[in-house]
Amino acid sequence: MSKNKENADTMKVITLGESGVGKTSIIRRYIHNIFDENNLSTIGLNFSFKEMKLKNGKIINIKLIDTAGQEKYKALAKSYFKNVDAVLFVFAINDQKSFDNMKNWINLFNENHNGKEGIPKYLIGNKADQEREVQKEAVDEFVNNSKYKYYETSAKENMGIDSLFQELSEDLYKIFIEAGGNKTQNTQTLNKYKVKKGKSNCICAIKAG
């Protein structure tokens, strides 16, 4: 697929979180495998495209919607909530305020999403290479209550990025494509899976027995 063109089967993934938590850096590391210490804050919205090869050999096309965290751009970001197939809520491990404000971003998304239930929702603790300010116990409580999958990443050190997007791609395929390509079937498909705490950096979905 063209790097700047989507097709009907493209899965749309949006990133949400405060300015400065590293949303753009995560995407740039994933798409281009680069990191820039002097990366400027996103103005408005940016779009990136990637072809992802799944474990079964299939290819899934992903469109990443990188949103600005500043208050003045929230109205613009909201216009893209309606048709996304997954959402990444990003905070910085070294910034308690960015974690505390996650509830605001989640509420904003839920209020403006189109009501399509069952889409993958991930909580991302970025800047894992920095000194921790957000306590692990608080994150664990949040994850247990929300049932979101959780990854700790470092765009700078390239930690957790590939595994995050690999699992996200597998989820999108199972929910939207393996079920016959009908996006309205996503809730039914997701109900076949249950949440299980996996290895150190994620909470994994496994097929219910």
Side-chain angles (χ1 to χ4, degrees):
M1 184 184 68
S2 169
K3 295 297 183 182
N4 58 5
K5 185 178 181 180
E6 63 183 287
N7 59 39
D9 296 323
T10 299
M11 300 288 102
K12 302 176 183 65
V13 180
I14 196 167
T15 63
L16 297 175
E18 296 293 293
S19 179
V21 297
K23 301 185 296 298
T24 301
S25 294
I26 288 173
I27 292 173
R28 285 169 63 84
R29 174 62 80 178
Y30 171 56
I31 299 291
H32 304 294
N33 195 27
I34 59 175
F35 177 80
D36 184 359
E37 285 276 9
N38 300 314
N39 194 46
L40 298 177
S41 296
T42 299
I43 298 175
L45 298 167
N46 284 329
F47 305 95
S48 301
F49 296 85
K50 179 92 169 183
E51 287 184 346
M52 190 71 184
K53 186 174 183 179
L54 305 177
K55 294 177 181 178
N56 62 6
K58 303 287 186 180
I59 298 293
I60 187 171
N61 301 317
I62 294 179
K63 176 183 180 179
L64 284 161
I65 306 170
D66 182 19
T67 65
Q70 298 94 327
E71 182 69 30
K72 62 182 178 180
Y73 295 120
K74 284 186 178 179
L76 177 61
K78 285 192 297 185
S79 64
Y80 286 85
F81 289 0
K82 296 185 182 301
N83 298 309
V84 298
D85 304 302
V87 56
L88 306 180
F89 295 105
V90 185
F91 70 95
I93 284 176
N94 65 340
D95 183 353
Q96 182 66 44
K97 183 179 178 181
S98 71
F99 178 73
D100 294 339
N101 286 343
M102 273 292 94
K103 292 179 181 178
N104 297 331
W105 286 104
I106 291 169
N107 289 338
L108 184 70
F109 180 80
N110 290 337
E111 289 168 1
N112 293 277
H113 191 225
N114 64 356
K116 180 170 55 180
E117 297 182 3
I119 71 170
K121 295 180 180 179
Y122 281 62
L123 179 69
I124 312 300
N126 193 39
K127 303 191 179 182
D129 57 290
Q130 302 292 316
E131 183 176 352
R132 178 181 289 273
E133 185 174 309
V134 180
Q135 296 304 307
K136 191 175 185 301
E137 292 76 11
V139 176
D140 288 343
E141 180 180 1
F142 183 99
V143 171
N144 289 334
N145 290 333
S146 67
K147 304 302 182 185
Y148 293 178
K149 294 185 179 183
Y150 178 60
Y151 270 83
E152 291 194 351
T153 62
S154 168
K156 181 178 181 179
E157 300 296 332
N158 197 15
M159 295 166 48
I161 305 293
D162 289 341
S163 54
L164 161 63
F165 283 102
Q166 183 69 51
E167 182 170 6
L168 175 60
S169 300
E170 301 286 345
D171 279 352
L172 288 167
Y173 181 84
K174 290 173 184 175
I175 294 170
F176 295 122
I177 299 175
E178 196 172 57
N182 184 351
K183 294 186 180 183
T184 62
Q185 295 178 351
N186 61 342
T187 302
Q188 179 180 356
T189 305
L190 190 63
N191 286 339
K192 296 179 182 178
Y193 294 82
K194 60 183 179 179
V195 175
K196 178 181 179 181
K197 202 160 189 175
K199 295 183 179 180
S200 58
N201 67 341
C202 83
I203 291 177
C204 302
I206 62 173
K207 197 166 186 178

